[in-house]
């Protein structure tokens, strides 16, 4: 397996951190924007897209701040979703950290752009 490249994206989200956080960790909320189906058991999340499932362990979470999921089949890769709130303006952003093969980097970024568009529509933001 080739070495993947770590990348970061950031999106402005017009939502409170508390509401946004629920969409990053709760299976029912994740299934509204991130995957077709999401289930969890013992901190292991199963994400299903078009009948294809992948498992990830919830490795880190801080309420209303951050979640990190580590793919079980792809050690050491993970994806992280961090809620960033500007102290002066209270503007909220979602920072995404993920990994992709160099040849698929633009496609992965485009997928995140689409997923965040779904999230924005679900949030009504």
């Amino acid at each position: 397996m080739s070495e993947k490249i770590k990348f970061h994206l950031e999106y402005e989200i017009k939502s409170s951190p508390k509401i946004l956080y629920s969409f990053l960790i709760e299976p029912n909320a994740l299934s509204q924007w991130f995957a077709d189906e999401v289930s969890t058991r013992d901190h292991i999340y199963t994400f299903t897209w078009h009948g294809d499932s992948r498992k990830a362990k919830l490795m880190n979470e801080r309420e209303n701040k951050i979640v990190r999921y580590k793919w079980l089949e792809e050690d050491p890769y993970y994806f992280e979703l961090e809620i960033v709130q500007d102290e002066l303006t209270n503007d909220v952003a979602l920072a995404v950290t993920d990994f992709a093969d160099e040849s698929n980097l633009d496609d992965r970024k485009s997928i995140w752009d689409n997923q965040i568009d779904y999230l924005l529509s679900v949030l009504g933001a």
Side-chain angles (χ1 to χ4, degrees), residues 14-65:
K14 295 190 183 322
S15 175
S16 74
K18 184 176 182 174
I19 291 171
L20 180 56
Y21 180 77
S22 70
F23 280 87
L24 307 182
I25 198 158
E26 294 176 8
N28 287 342
L30 281 161
S31 67
Q32 292 181 48
W33 71 276
F34 184 72
D36 299 332
E37 293 177 41
V38 180
S39 61
T40 184
R41 184 175 189 172
D42 297 329
H43 298 287
I44 303 294
Y45 283 67
T46 303
F47 300 101
T48 304
W49 296 272
H50 308 292
D52 186 30
S53 295
R54 294 185 63 200
K55 292 182 182 285
K57 182 173 185 176
L58 178 63
M59 297 299 292
N60 185 17
E61 67 162 311
R62 281 184 300 188
E63 190 171 358
N64 303 330
K65 289 285 184 194

Side-chain angles (χ1 to χ4, degrees), residues 68-83:
R68 178 184 284 191
Y69 296 96
K70 184 180 149 316
W71 296 114
L72 297 183
E73 313 87 27
E74 293 186 45
D75 192 41
Y77 301 112
Y78 63 89
F79 68 98
E80 183 174 88
L81 305 166
E82 180 179 7
I83 299 168

Side-chain angles (χ1 to χ4, degrees), residues 59-119:
M59 297 299 292
N60 185 17
E61 67 162 311
R62 281 184 300 188
E63 190 171 358
N64 303 330
K65 289 285 184 194
I66 193 167
V67 293
R68 178 184 284 191
Y69 296 96
K70 184 180 149 316
W71 296 114
L72 297 183
E73 313 87 27
E74 293 186 45
D75 192 41
Y77 301 112
Y78 63 89
F79 68 98
E80 183 174 88
L81 305 166
E82 180 179 7
I83 299 168
V84 181
Q85 188 168 23
D86 186 284
E87 290 182 18
L88 294 176
T89 64
N90 280 332
D91 289 346
V92 174
L94 181 63
V96 175
T97 301
D98 198 359
F99 294 83
D101 292 319
E102 189 171 1
S103 61
N104 294 336
L105 188 57
D106 289 338
D107 289 341
R108 278 304 288 154
K109 289 179 178 181
S110 182
I111 288 169
W112 275 112
D113 290 346
N114 290 334
Q115 296 306 103
I116 299 302
D117 282 345
Y118 287 133
L119 175 61

